[in-house]
């Protein structure tokens, strides 16, 4: 169970690093404050990435649907 948890946490960390272009958890990163415009843009970026992933065909050639 510990191995599975570690794997999934690692996968989530990789995704986070790809989204915010930062690695690790420094004190400066943890205390960073962002305004509403930043979060709106950040949410839109995540939604675009999710829609692009859904639109890609899977192994059988069909597209995924939500």
């Amino acid at each position: 169970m510990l191995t599975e948890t570690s794997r999934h946490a690692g996968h989530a960390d990789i995704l986070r690093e790809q989204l915010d272009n930062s690695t690790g958890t420094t004190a400066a990163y943890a205390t960073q404050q962002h305004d509403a415009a930043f979060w709106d843009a950040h949410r839109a970026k995540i939604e675009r990435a999710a829609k692009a992933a859904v639109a890609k065909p899977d192994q059988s050639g069909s597209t995924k649907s939500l």
Side-chain angles (χ1 to χ4, degrees):
M1 189 65 160
L2 183 59
T3 302
E4 280 295 309
T5 302
S6 296
R7 269 195 201 134
H8 291 297
H11 293 153
D13 194 41
I14 289 168
L15 293 173
R16 182 200 50 81
E17 289 173 1
Q18 289 175 343
L19 287 171
D20 64 13
N21 296 321
S22 71
T23 58
T25 54
T26 64
Y29 178 75
T31 59
Q32 231 174 6
Q33 298 295 318
H34 298 291
D35 62 2
F38 169 85
W39 289 114
D40 288 342
H42 189 65
R43 182 181 51 79
K45 180 179 177 182
I46 293 170
E47 286 183 5
R48 283 191 305 273
K51 287 178 182 177
V54 168
K56 290 182 182 178
D58 63 14
Q59 300 272 346
S60 67
S62 65
T63 56
K64 301 173 188 173
S65 62
L66 293 176

